[in-house]
Amino acid sequence: MLPEPETSVAVPSAPALQTNIPQPAASPANPGTSARRPKGKVASLTKAQRDTINGLLHDGATYALVA
């Protein structure tokens, strides 16, 4: 029997993706804050209450059920 010839398949490499998407600049003094203050009813609640309401809405609860 004759040995099988070796075959190699050349796979082209993908070019490196370079994107020039501008990133928003963060305030050096307070990087996680913004000058805009929330004005809604839910925004004035405590973090635990907001999380509960957001969880209910995410699960499909209606406004009438939440209110």
Side-chain angles (χ1 to χ4, degrees):
M1 293 184 78
L2 297 174
E4 293 184 25
E6 293 184 25
T7 58
S8 63
V9 178
V11 178
S13 62
L17 297 176
Q18 294 182 3
T19 58
N20 294 326
I21 300 173
Q23 299 296 322
S27 170
N30 297 318
T33 62
S34 68
R36 191 174 146 255
R37 295 195 60 188
K39 299 176 186 172
K41 291 180 183 180
V42 175
S44 64
L45 299 174
T46 64
K47 173 77 169 135
Q49 292 170 327
R50 288 192 317 265
D51 289 342
T52 301
I53 290 173
N54 287 331
L56 289 169
L57 294 173
H58 179 73
D59 291 339
T62 62
Y63 174 79
L65 181 66
V66 173

